[in-house]
Amino acid sequence: MALARGWAAALRPSSRALGALSGLSLRSLSTLVLAEHKGGALQPSTLHTVAAAAQLGGPLTLLVAGDASSAGAAAQAASRVAGVAAVLAAEDPCLAHGLAEPAAALLAAVERKRDFSHVLAASSSYGRNVLPRAAALLDVQAVADVSQVLDPSTFLRPIYAGNALATVRALGQGPRLLTVRTTAFAPAPASGGSAPVEAVAGEELAAAQQAAGGSEWVGEDVRKSDRPELAQARVVVAGGRALKSADNFRTLLGALADRLGGAVGASRAAVDAGYAPNDLQVGQTGKVVAPDLYIAVGISGAIQHVAGMSSSKVIVAINSDGEAPIYQVADYGLVGDLFKILPELEAELAKLGDLQ
């Protein structure tokens, strides 16, 4: 399912893309990408989305929305991304926390004024929250979780929890709004570009300000960790309900993840049982990950979970049930009691030192 293409190839629209535009003329091709940023730095998901957008052809513009403390620095970082032709920086207090209503209104207003043929966002919590609202405001149908661009109007996306792939064709003259499965596209280089930065103002910014009354920022509960962010980690150690307690999650999984320099994930069953917070959930209704190494501990392998990790390069399963569905997607399997296997595995790794 993963799409592996070099950056040079991604910059060139395919011959199929040039010949099957379904109502879009060659001259009209242009793409707007909604950037994600934190603390003035672009999130890696944005680079993956830029790579997907480059396959559509035409000039590529990044939209950076936030307040004055973050949007300016993020816009400068966006201007250096390879393949980006222009950057739009929208600065306003109503955009400070990424609330869906003002962000969607801004995105729709920018599209109406500048008439992009495509509008893309990462298939992350932020992108899935904002882009469908913008599609409703523009009265077009969004295409979610795109994993491959076949031509500017035809896309591949997983369905049935990743057990099948659907080819979706967008019809009509309206813009194509897409969320992109970032694990399916190699990231664009974060440097090498020199795009101009333009401030968004006037009616475009006014639309966001007017929509800001639809929601209110209350606060956030931020958990600080020295581990890498789950969606971007090279190694993920994930646990299921078989771990039996939140304490076992912290000690057994945490020790192994720290030894490997990885992140901790969880199945939905473990999250529902209160063993792990929601932001660690991997699966169709959680985060989609594709690390170099995924270790599934005490996870049966329900379709919902497998949909979020099946693109991992190497999958290791540890489960006492040798017939568990997780072994159908695993590259390596250890059948046995996880409470015996994990301490033994961690002890052997300790002899090698930290593998970070």
Side-chain angles (χ1 to χ4, degrees), residues 222-237:
V222 179
R223 294 177 176 85
K224 294 184 179 180
S225 174
D226 293 331
R227 297 183 183 123
E229 203 277 324
L230 178 60
Q232 306 300 328
R234 293 179 60 251
V235 176
V236 174
V237 182

Side-chain angles (χ1 to χ4, degrees), residues 31-78:
T31 304
L32 177 68
V33 172
L34 178 63
E36 295 188 40
H37 59 93
K38 186 176 182 180
L42 286 182
Q43 294 289 81
S45 59
T46 299
L47 301 179
H48 292 271
T49 308
V50 167
Q55 297 183 16
L56 293 164
L60 194 160
T61 301
L62 269 177
L63 172 63
V64 179
D67 61 6
S69 66
S70 61
Q76 291 303 317

